[in-house]
Amino acid sequence: MSTELKGDERIDQLMQFGLNIIQSPSVFSFSLDAVLLGHFAKVPGHDRAEIVDLCSGNGAVALMLSGQTKSRIKAVEIQERLADMAGRSVEMNGLTEQIDIIHADVNKVHKHIKKDSIDIITCNPPYFTVSDSSRKNPNKHLAIARHELHLTVQELMKATSGLLKTKGKAYFVHRPERFFDILDAMREVDLAPKRIRFVYPKPDREANMLLIEGIKQGKEDGLKILPPLYVFDEEGNYFPEVRRMIYGNEQD
């Protein structure tokens, strides 16, 4: 089946999972943060879970999760162009029976998905706050994806908690400088942090990404700070753990 491409779109590969995805440099292209989130999230292999990917963009994380579970996945994206790209990628990979693309605002997601009904949520949200002094990307698509123009971290956590069943789990990738904002927002809606991992571009650099797992109405004791994840070695090559996330188990 041929896939219609629009504008400057191209087809890239999610190599570990043998899937294709539609990308566009002027609209949206997934990056390493989506790959890390797709591997950090723990999803069951069976078909009985209810899974939601919020702020789904072009559907990269939802596609990655489909390679790890037989359960249905709902992918929610506010931008119509990105939801359209995601939908065409789902069709291209023959996954329309497993992945549903929902064009909606996360703040109104309860109109599309029943409250207290979801087992697992993933989200790669906008990272940056919006203020008079903040520099927003002049490209509206990239600005919405990267800045809290339509969704703050507090609103994200409220929507997440509202969707999750009791003891349901949520997984986020974010920026370390927002760490306390994230924890405060989680506590406000009874999401207990359970696992945290900091990601470093190189061993001698500061962390530039944060992975965090929360559980609805969970206990805050037993929080685990996982070993650091380093992306590149001194020669600029991926460390083996990250390389496996991107390429899978390569054959010699």
Side-chain angles (χ1 to χ4, degrees), residues 15-155:
M15 285 168 280
Q16 180 175 358
F17 303 104
L19 298 172
N20 295 319
I21 185 169
I22 297 171
Q23 305 242 80
S24 165
S26 64
V27 180
F28 188 87
S29 297
F30 80 89
S31 53
L32 183 61
D33 47 5
V35 175
L36 297 178
L37 177 62
H39 285 266
F40 182 70
K42 292 183 176 181
V43 293
H46 59 66
D47 62 357
R48 300 181 300 280
E50 294 290 337
I51 301 172
V52 170
D53 180 46
L54 299 175
C55 306
S56 198
N58 64 344
V61 173
L63 288 166
M64 292 177 206
L65 296 179
S66 76
Q68 304 171 62
T69 182
K70 295 179 182 178
S71 294
R72 291 192 65 86
I73 301 163
K74 294 181 174 68
V76 180
E77 171 53 43
I78 191 173
Q79 297 195 59
E80 185 176 6
R81 176 71 190 279
L82 289 182
D84 174 65
M85 290 169 63
R88 284 181 284 131
S89 290
V90 169
E91 291 178 1
M92 178 172 52
N93 290 287
L95 292 169
T96 55
E97 295 298 314
Q98 185 179 11
I99 301 176
D100 296 319
I101 305 299
I102 301 173
H103 173 220
D105 185 336
V106 170
N107 284 303
K108 300 177 182 177
V109 70
H110 62 277
K111 294 183 178 180
H112 304 270
I113 304 173
K114 185 179 177 181
K115 287 189 174 184
D116 305 314
S117 68
I118 302 303
D119 298 289
I120 295 165
I121 290 176
T122 56
C123 186
N124 180 3
Y127 293 156
F128 304 108
T129 59
V130 177
S131 65
D132 292 339
S133 61
S134 63
R135 295 180 59 188
K136 295 182 287 294
N137 196 302
N139 181 311
K140 68 175 183 178
H141 296 291
L142 300 180
I144 291 171
R146 296 172 182 173
H147 295 265
E148 293 182 335
L149 295 169
H150 296 283
L151 183 71
T152 66
V153 68
Q154 291 81 10
E155 292 168 339

Side-chain angles (χ1 to χ4, degrees), residues 195-252:
R195 290 192 304 140
I196 296 170
R197 192 173 195 187
F198 290 94
V199 182
Y200 300 77
K202 289 186 176 182
D204 61 347
R205 303 281 181 86
E206 295 180 354
N208 65 349
M209 280 187 278
L210 165 71
L211 296 161
I212 184 165
E213 172 191 313
I215 183 169
K216 183 175 178 179
Q217 296 179 8
K219 297 179 180 179
E220 288 201 2
D221 58 340
L223 171 64
K224 295 181 179 180
I225 306 297
L226 302 179
L229 177 61
Y230 301 115
V231 177
F232 295 107
D233 62 20
E234 293 180 355
E235 285 73 42
N237 300 311
Y238 287 119
F239 274 101
E241 183 178 3
V242 175
R243 187 171 181 86
R244 284 192 298 272
M245 291 181 187
I246 299 171
Y247 299 106
N249 294 317
E250 299 168 296
Q251 302 295 322
D252 294 332

